[in-house]
Amino acid sequence: MSPNPVALRPLPTTPAVSGVLETLSFLRDPDFARSRFERYGDVYGTTLLGQRTVFIRGQRAINDLFAQGDALEGWWPESVRKLLGPLSLANRNGADHKARRRVVGQLFASAALKRYSPAIIELVDDLHRELLAEPAPVALVPKLRRFAFSVIASTVLGLGGVDREVLFEDFETWCRGLFSLPFALPGSPYARALQARQRLLRRLGAVLEKAQGAAAAGAPLAAGGLDLLAGGLDEAGLPLGDDDVAEQLLLLLFAGYETTASSLSCLLLSLLQNPSELVWLQQELDGLAWPPAQGEELGAYDASRAPRLDAVLKEVMRLAPPVGGFFRRTRESIVLADVQIPADLVVQVSITASHRYGSKEEDLEAFRPQRHLCGESTAALLPFGGGERVCLGKALAELEIRLLAVGLLKQLNLVLEPDQDLTLKVIPSPSPQDGLLVRPCLR
């Protein structure tokens, strides 16, 4: 609770409007939250499809939220809840959530990342050769999406090229329905996503059954990390059922694919639109070895050895975070930045608005990676969410992005094709409208 109850303010609320109209604006307008923050302040209420929702931005309100975690639970819009499934980690709370998070987290521990690194490096080199072999111009976004999906499907599931391709098409359909109106009208994105979900779960079940058969026969997996889940017990000592594991894998594929593909696309877009910053970064990359020495993959391009790369990644994530926000539901009344929030409301932490909110003197609309080297950034950075539900795949995503940045930018020059639409579509994650057309050549 606030240390000064007499200073509490009532929740500012937008005028009563149709929940459908407000939701359509939320889904389509990239400036939805920020325009309302400017009008109503850093904490305000609205209605989305009948659900009373509170939007917050800024370090103070976000810190207050994390400090009252016991009064909160996870929440997602209905389309996301249904497509992820009732057993998914994202839809669980309390002990159920913590137990499964601990088990699934084994897939992203340092030992697992070391195991995955050689496969990621091989996929980076494959992409490098593929870009040079393609007739120009090349659309980078589809290539980066396939790369990101190949990484998570290879490292977690151990799938080869043909099996990955079969899974990929259904996964693209599933992703397009995640943040859509949850009406299963024939042919709608949501209806197609529900159908794709059933096919995905059947295929994931088959992959899991194959891994279990190999484990029962005492044979090691050829690739992937599914053996890390074998025998995983929750805190009550009960084994995870096959349906349970399949839904966790579906979530992990999304978390390790869609958001990473977005970050890769925005990274290359930002550098190509700011050639002086690209030259600045490549001066550092020229002093780094590719591929990294065996056994040193995890630290070869970290902040201590590649500070400029680290600053560029932070700036890209600040201006184009892969997820625009995350949700919590209040189980009891809480206080955020001296505003009283009643129980049973959804709170949306606006990552995009928070990343551009700080000192006006800092010019937070500009792409300037150097701000992160001198420690002058005043914005709250939460590209992977925060609190006890911070993204499980954060370490894998960061490793993958660093490896691809060094592996491509050390070896290739990418020239932007003129007369293309480079504005970002934001649902489900930021991505250039025309696919980021480039002409690749050797450096």
Side-chain angles (χ1 to χ4, degrees):
M1 296 293 292
S2 168
N4 184 18
V6 299
L8 295 186
R9 297 180 288 116
L11 176 66
T13 304
T14 62
V17 296
S18 163
V20 173
L21 292 178
E22 190 78 340
T23 300
L24 288 173
S25 181
F26 172 68
L27 292 173
R28 295 173 178 175
D29 180 6
D31 204 41
F32 173 91
R34 186 163 52 158
S35 64
R36 289 157 175 77
F37 283 128
E38 296 303 319
R39 188 181 308 171
Y40 299 108
D42 297 341
V43 179
Y44 73 87
T46 188
T47 300
L48 300 177
L49 276 180
Q51 173 63 58
R52 296 179 63 202
T53 304
V54 177
F55 281 73
I56 69 172
R57 72 170 178 182
Q59 195 71 63
R60 184 183 179 198
I62 293 171
N63 285 347
D64 286 347
L65 185 79
F66 290 157
Q68 299 169 89
D70 290 343
L72 307 168
E73 61 184 16
W75 186 91
W76 287 101
E78 183 178 352
S79 59
V80 179
R81 292 200 304 272
K82 292 290 181 63
L83 289 172
L84 286 174
L87 302 177
S88 175
L89 182 67
N91 289 328
R92 290 181 179 269
N93 288 289
D96 278 351
H97 174 264
K98 291 178 180 178
R100 280 154 180 78
R101 183 179 177 90
R102 188 186 64 206
V103 173
V104 176
Q106 296 173 94
L107 291 169
F108 304 107
S110 293
L113 297 181
K114 288 179 182 178
R115 182 197 294 190
Y116 305 153
S117 295
I120 299 175
I121 291 168
E122 184 177 343
L123 287 168
V124 170
D125 286 336
D126 287 347
L127 178 59
H128 168 222
R129 289 188 289 267
E130 184 181 344
L131 291 176
L132 287 176
E134 289 277 344
V138 179
L140 276 181
V141 169
K143 300 291 186 185
L144 294 171
R145 291 182 72 82
R146 286 183 179 273
F147 167 81
F149 187 79
S150 295
V151 168
I152 192 70
S154 299
T155 58
V156 175
L157 301 182
L159 295 180
V162 175
D163 290 332
R164 287 200 306 262
E165 200 63 28
V166 171
L167 207 62
F168 179 75
E169 298 302 328
D170 273 335
F171 211 78
E172 286 278 76
T173 301
W174 182 83
C175 285
R176 284 192 289 270
L178 271 177
F179 292 94
S180 62
L181 295 176
F183 305 128
L185 301 174
S188 68
Y190 182 67
R192 290 195 297 267
L194 285 173
Q195 295 165 356
R197 178 181 186 273
Q198 295 306 313
R199 295 191 295 269
L200 285 166
L201 288 177
R202 286 197 297 270
R203 288 173 178 144
L204 291 172
V207 169
L208 184 60
E209 184 178 354
K210 183 178 179 180
Q212 290 170 335
L221 290 178
L226 284 182
D227 58 311
L228 298 173
L229 294 180
L233 302 178
D234 70 16
E235 290 175 350
L238 300 174
L240 301 180
D242 290 353
D243 290 345
D244 199 328
V245 175
E247 288 201 1
Q248 309 320 322
L249 293 178
L250 186 62
L251 170 65
L252 293 177
L253 282 173
F254 171 69
Y257 156 60
E258 177 65 40
T259 53
T260 305
S262 170
S263 296
L264 293 171
S265 299
C266 292
L267 167 67
L268 295 179
L269 171 64
S270 298
L271 289 170
L272 293 175
Q273 288 183 312
N274 295 273
S276 62
E277 306 299 347
L278 175 58
V279 170
W280 176 77
L281 173 62
Q282 285 180 321
Q283 290 170 349
E284 177 178 86
L285 300 187
D286 287 342
L288 301 173
W290 177 263
Q294 186 175 2
E296 295 186 10
E297 298 93 345
L298 300 192
Y301 311 130
D302 63 11
S304 64
R305 301 189 193 183
R308 292 186 181 184
L309 175 61
D310 185 69
V312 166
L313 297 183
K314 286 179 178 175
E315 188 70 343
V316 170
M317 293 282 197
R318 185 184 70 79
L319 286 171
V323 177
F326 59 89
F327 302 90
R328 300 289 187 268
R329 185 195 290 275
T330 57
R331 298 167 55 196
E332 57 191 71
S333 178
I334 62 173
V335 175
L336 303 177
D338 294 335
V339 176
Q340 186 80 50
I341 310 298
D344 200 31
L345 293 192
V346 169
V347 178
Q348 203 257 26
V349 178
S350 181
I351 294 176
T352 301
S354 294
H355 282 190
R356 295 171 183 249
Y357 179 56
S359 169
K360 293 183 179 179
E361 290 74 21
E362 195 185 343
D363 189 12
L364 289 167
E365 295 298 318
F367 180 78
R368 191 167 64 82
Q370 293 81 1
R371 74 176 83 241
H372 302 286
L373 292 178
C374 56
E376 68 181 44
S377 180
T378 58
L381 287 181
L382 292 166
F384 295 98
E388 65 177 17
R389 304 179 83 96
V390 67
C391 178
L392 266 174
K394 176 178 182 290
L396 175 61
E398 291 182 332
L399 173 64
E400 179 182 344
I401 294 167
R402 291 174 192 272
L403 289 173
L404 181 129
V406 177
L408 285 192
L409 295 176
K410 264 185 71 71
Q411 304 177 86
L412 289 180
N413 279 327
L414 301 171
V415 179
L416 274 176
E417 187 75 0
D419 302 322
Q420 60 174 306
D421 187 351
L422 296 175
T423 58
L424 296 177
K425 53 184 178 183
V426 297
I427 301 295
S429 296
S431 181
Q433 289 282 358
D434 283 353
L436 192 54
L437 301 170
V438 300
R439 293 182 176 272
C441 60
L442 287 171
R443 283 191 70 198

